[in-house]
Amino acid sequence: QVQLQESGSGLVKPSQTLSLICTVSGGSITARYYYWTWIRQPPGKGLEWIGYISYSGKSYYSPPLKSRTSISRDTSKNQITLQLSSVTPEDTALYFCARMNEDAGFAYDYWGQGTQVIVSS
């Protein structure tokens, strides 16, 4: 029932800001107790947790990325926004949004299909 759809610019130039939107359908981003999470996977590498925004609107970020990361929400549109500034080619990855469900043992029970971001000049 719940669906997550990532969208945004797939090609970003170095030093610019990556901006992605996760549109949620079938459920409210304010519903308890869900955490709307951004996760990425660089080519040939494992998953990396970026951060989340909670049902209450509180954001939390991976320490290595914290200074460059902003996760926000638009409750009227049921959307989650990721902004990652000062990007480099190391930020090239498949970016996912996912729902972490506290009531399901903190599992990521829903995922978007992922969207490819390439950082290149």
Side-chain angles (χ1 to χ4, degrees), residues 2 22 24-36 53-58 72-80 99-100 103:
V2 176
C22 175
V24 179
S25 61
S28 173
I29 62 174
T30 65
R32 299 181 181 182
Y33 296 95
Y34 303 131
Y35 301 77
W36 304 93
I53 187 165
S54 76
Y55 57 92
S56 66
K58 184 176 181 179
S72 58
R73 67 181 185 176
D74 185 336
T75 58
S76 69
K77 297 180 179 180
N78 222 40
Q79 292 180 331
I80 311 298
R99 187 181 83 170
M100 192 278 284
D103 290 337

Side-chain angles (χ1 to χ4, degrees), residues 18-100:
L18 177 161
S19 184
L20 298 174
I21 295 174
C22 175
T23 300
V24 179
S25 61
S28 173
I29 62 174
T30 65
R32 299 181 181 182
Y33 296 95
Y34 303 131
Y35 301 77
W36 304 93
T37 308
W38 287 98
I39 299 165
R40 69 182 183 181
Q41 185 173 38
K45 299 182 180 179
L47 298 172
E48 180 183 16
W49 183 81
I50 299 171
Y52 70 70
I53 187 165
S54 76
Y55 57 92
S56 66
K58 184 176 181 179
S59 298
Y60 191 80
Y61 311 118
S62 175
L65 301 173
K66 182 178 180 179
S67 66
R68 300 193 291 130
T69 306
S70 177
I71 298 175
S72 58
R73 67 181 185 176
D74 185 336
T75 58
S76 69
K77 297 180 179 180
N78 222 40
Q79 292 180 331
I80 311 298
T81 297
L82 169 67
Q83 293 188 101
L84 185 66
S85 66
S86 303
V87 299
T88 74
E90 296 301 307
D91 295 309
T92 295
L94 186 64
Y95 284 74
F96 299 93
C97 59
R99 187 181 83 170
M100 192 278 284

Side-chain angles (χ1 to χ4, degrees), residues 6-12 18-20 40-44 89 91-96 113-119:
E6 301 94 340
S7 62
S9 298
L11 182 62
V12 187
L18 177 161
S19 184
L20 298 174
R40 69 182 183 181
Q41 185 173 38
D91 295 309
T92 295
L94 186 64
Y95 284 74
F96 299 93
Q113 82 290 341
T115 187
Q116 181 65 245
V117 174
I118 298 174
V119 179

